[in-house]
Amino acid sequence: MKTSVLGTLAATALLAMTITACGGTSAPATGSQAATGAPAATTASAPTPTPTPTPKAYTAEELSAVLAQLQDSSGRKLSVMASSDLAGSIEQGKALIASMDVQPAECKEMAASTGVPALDGVVMAAGQSLDAAAGSMTMLTLATGLDEAFVAGTAAQEQQLAACSAMTMTVSGVTADVTLTPLDAVGTIPGTLAFRTDTFLPDGQVQSVITAQALQQGVLFTAVAAGGESEAEAVARTGALLDSAAALLK
């Protein structure tokens, strides 16, 4: 699965989806009993609902410290991006999305409105590993401070993937076909959303990237892997990063 890092990051900036935290509720059991002529039965009081824990508000420094402890599949520590470099990359991503012509148009609108880099006030940190010998790139971003409305609006992520499974993307007059393919069993975090992005360039090259996202403890994890020996190896790198980062935030 050969790829160029710049092409991969461009496609990922446009197509990255977000995942919603999943939760459930259970109805409290209640009961009462009465007997004719007997003293009035005492009605059981409804159990007090357990308050939902408030996720910790991590700082950029704390998220960066987590990334600094992580290693890629070859044992290399991730290179943590400086805040200024990360801010510059985010602005470049916004400009790139704005300059693109994407069909169907709703896919561009979705990327512009739901991609974490487009959100102001979100605390983020990013780390990456580049292996020139293997021709691979691995990256992990951590984001916290997500607005509740933003999180609630990502409930249809699987439908969004289906709606944008086949697109065309034009940048600086160059048009490429892009496909999104859902993937299963990437990492072990419940509710992880993962997919492969394939960009078919006019010269016959195919750029592929694996993206996996999970939301845990109020932190959005986004792992990206490209290049390397095979798709299976890239998937393994992606899942390992997600699991390792999640373990450090427990």
Side-chain angles (χ1 to χ4, degrees):
M1 190 173 64
K2 296 182 179 180
T3 182
S4 78
V5 172
L6 290 178
T8 293
L9 294 180
T12 304
L14 172 68
L15 302 171
M17 307 297 174
T18 54
I19 189 167
T20 302
C22 297
T25 58
S26 57
T30 59
S32 62
Q33 62 180 17
T36 303
T42 301
T43 302
S45 60
T48 302
T50 301
T52 301
T54 301
K56 177 180 176 180
Y58 291 94
T59 65
E61 290 73 20
E62 288 173 323
L63 296 181
S64 294
V66 169
L67 293 172
Q69 299 178 61
L70 300 177
Q71 298 179 347
D72 65 13
S73 57
S74 298
R76 280 189 214 82
K77 285 193 172 182
L78 297 188
S79 175
V80 181
M81 297 179 67
S83 297
S84 57
D85 292 338
L86 179 57
S89 296
I90 290 174
E91 291 306 314
Q92 290 176 6
K94 291 180 181 179
L96 178 64
I97 291 175
S99 69
M100 288 180 173
D101 177 58
V102 180
Q103 298 298 326
E106 56 265 28
C107 297
K108 176 178 177 177
E109 294 170 1
M110 179 178 61
S113 63
T114 64
V116 170
L119 295 177
D120 294 326
V122 174
V123 176
M124 294 183 67
Q128 65 177 343
S129 172
L130 300 176
D131 187 339
S136 65
M137 178 276 292
T138 310
M139 176 178 285
L140 179 68
T141 63
L142 304 178
T144 188
L146 302 171
D147 183 85
E148 289 184 7
F150 166 78
V151 174
T154 62
Q157 68 274 9
E158 291 184 4
Q159 291 86 343
Q160 292 170 346
L161 277 178
C164 297
S165 61
M167 298 174 285
T168 60
M169 180 174 64
T170 302
V171 185
S172 300
V174 178
T175 299
D177 293 324
V178 180
T179 62
L180 302 180
T181 304
L183 300 174
D184 296 321
V186 179
T188 60
I189 301 176
T192 296
L193 177 70
F195 55 94
R196 185 183 75 245
T197 304
D198 295 310
T199 303
F200 300 85
L201 300 176
D203 61 3
Q205 293 187 60
V206 180
Q207 298 180 346
S208 301
V209 58
I210 305 298
T211 302
Q213 293 192 315
L215 186 63
Q216 182 169 289
Q217 296 185 183
V219 177
L220 180 69
F221 302 74
T222 303
V224 175
E229 298 175 2
S230 64
E231 176 180 313
E233 186 268 343
V235 167
R237 275 188 282 139
T238 306
L241 269 185
L242 285 181
D243 290 346
S244 296
L248 291 175
L249 284 175
K250 287 183 178 178

